[in-house]
């Protein structure tokens, strides 16, 4: 496995003749990430994972500084899953001085998560478009856990006629039902127990099960597939999850 940090190094290890799968991540890998790596490995000749905690998708007062980072561990896990290349750029590489070009998926990016995290999807869409341009993958892999992110990116790909297939894979959960998330690391044992009401409420389609938690939204959304999506705060930690209401993920 190769670790590269610049566009130039990346170009040296890519091969336009090899079908390439890209898995964009912010690191702190868990089984959700690993399932994306495995599927990308099975479906492509060359597998690239990007590892970049994207400042543009964090709002003021969010958890950019304390977001979990452990590059050494992540590299070992990526290697175990057969990833060929990890692209881990610095912020200057993605946002060089003078950077001022942004992608805005207007309506889809303003609802639900977008309403509670203004600018979040602008940051996501922009970094993903840049990664698609740098890596030129045939396929890019995302998790259903972030259903609106997947919807926003599919819309961007259609609207801008990008030559990449967005592959969305099912949400991986702990045995107790909690969706895996890098942010679960923030939870104390008591908070983790309280957080279990999120998947329970979604499964039961019953927001009253969230009593005691601060609820940002608990709403159906027509994301292809249609989902029931929710965001809650447990202490200082904000968690999102969703269940698919119809169709396949
Ligand atoms: P992140 O590093 O949190 O930005 O996530 C990188 C990718 O992994 C995104 O496409 C997420 O949707 C996906 N992902 C995160 N958590 C899960 C999960 N529990 N199951 C499946 N995919 C996930």
């Amino acid at each position: 496995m190769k670790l590269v940090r610049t566009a130039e190094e990346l170009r040296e290890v890519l091969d336009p003749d090899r079908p390439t799968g890209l898995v964009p991540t912010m690191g702190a890998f868990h089984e959700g990430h690993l399932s994306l790596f495995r599927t990308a490995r099975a479906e492509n000749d060359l597998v690239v994972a990007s590892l970049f905690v994207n400042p543009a998708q964090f709002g003021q007062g969010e958890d950019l500084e304390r977001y979990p980072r452990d590059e050494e561990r992540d590299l070992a896990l990526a290697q175990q899953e057969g990833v060929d290349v990890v692209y881990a750029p610095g912020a200057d590489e993605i946002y060089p001085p003078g950077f001022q070009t942004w992608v805005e998926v207007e309506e889809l990016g303003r609802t639900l998560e977008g309403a509670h995290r203004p600018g979040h999807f602008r940051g996501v869409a922009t970094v993903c478009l840049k990664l698609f341009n740098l890596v030129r993958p045939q396929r890019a892999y995302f998790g259903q856990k972030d259903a609106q992110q997947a919807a926003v990116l599919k819309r961007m790909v259609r609207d801008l006629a990008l030559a990449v297939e967005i592959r969305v894979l099912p949400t991986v959960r702990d045995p107790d039902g909690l969706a895996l998330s890098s942010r679960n690391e923030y939870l104390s044992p008591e908070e983790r127990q309280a957080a279990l009401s999120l998947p329970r409420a979604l499964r039961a389609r019953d927001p009253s099960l969230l009593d005691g938690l601060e609820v940002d939204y608990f709403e159906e959304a027509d994301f292809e597939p249609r989902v029931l999506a929710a965001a809650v705060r447990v202490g200082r930690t904000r968690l999102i999850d969703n269940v698919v209401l119809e169709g396949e993920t």
Side-chain angles (χ1 to χ4, degrees):
M1 188 181 79
K2 297 207 173 74
L3 168 64
V4 297
R5 299 203 185 270
T6 65
E8 202 185 331
E9 291 172 339
L10 188 56
R11 261 194 307 276
E12 282 167 19
V13 294
L14 294 177
D15 181 347
D17 294 331
R18 293 175 72 187
T20 299
L22 170 66
V23 186
T25 82
M26 300 205 300
F29 294 158
H30 50 64
E31 279 293 325
H33 299 103
L34 304 190
S35 87
L36 303 185
F37 296 155
R38 280 176 207 136
T39 306
R41 179 69 283 162
E43 296 181 351
N44 300 276
D45 190 23
L46 193 73
V47 176
V48 180
S50 62
L51 201 174
F52 180 60
V53 182
N54 176 28
Q57 69 188 70
F58 288 78
Q60 285 281 327
E62 291 188 358
D63 56 344
L64 174 62
E65 282 79 24
R66 70 174 184 135
Y67 196 83
R69 291 167 172 86
D70 190 345
E71 191 179 274
E72 212 175 304
R73 176 177 171 276
D74 286 346
L75 294 175
L77 288 169
Q79 178 152 30
Q80 275 172 32
E81 297 302 336
V83 170
D84 297 303
V85 177
V86 172
Y87 174 51
D92 259 21
E93 176 76 15
I94 299 296
Y95 303 108
F99 186 95
Q100 54 187 288
T101 305
W102 299 94
V103 183
E104 187 112 33
V105 180
E106 293 186 331
E107 254 176 72
L108 259 179
R110 268 201 303 264
T111 61
L112 300 177
E113 276 300 281
H116 290 270
R117 304 184 70 189
H120 171 67
F121 289 117
R122 177 175 108 137
V124 169
T126 303
V127 80
C128 285
L129 179 58
K130 183 146 187 176
L131 291 168
F132 296 165
N133 279 331
L134 287 163
V135 176
R136 307 255 154 195
Q138 271 66 40
R139 304 178 191 86
Y141 294 81
F142 297 90
Q144 179 62 24
K145 156 84 170 28
D146 298 280
Q148 191 174 4
Q149 169 171 278
V152 162
L153 294 172
K154 282 184 184 168
R155 188 73 252 171
M156 175 180 79
V157 163
R158 265 181 252 161
D159 287 353
L160 301 182
L162 305 180
V164 59
E165 179 191 352
I166 302 292
R167 299 271 290 116
V168 182
L169 300 184
T171 301
V172 179
R173 296 175 183 280
D174 266 337
D176 59 13
L178 191 67
L180 296 184
S181 163
S182 305
R183 291 190 167 95
N184 293 353
E185 290 185 26
Y186 301 148
L187 300 170
S188 70
E190 296 73 27
E191 287 174 337
R192 200 179 184 294
Q193 211 45 44
L196 292 179
S197 60
L198 175 57
R200 284 185 193 134
L202 287 167
R203 266 201 317 270
R205 322 271 191 266
D206 180 0
S208 75
L209 297 180
L210 296 174
D211 277 355
L213 297 183
E214 203 180 310
V215 180
D216 278 354
Y217 58 84
F218 185 92
E219 267 178 60
E220 288 190 23
D222 209 358
F223 284 157
E224 295 176 32
R226 193 169 178 78
V227 296
L228 176 62
V232 300
R233 290 160 202 273
V234 185
R236 285 173 69 203
T237 305
R238 190 170 178 284
L239 299 175
I240 64 170
D241 195 358
N242 67 87
V243 288
V244 173
L245 296 176
E246 61 192 38
E248 297 294 307
T249 60

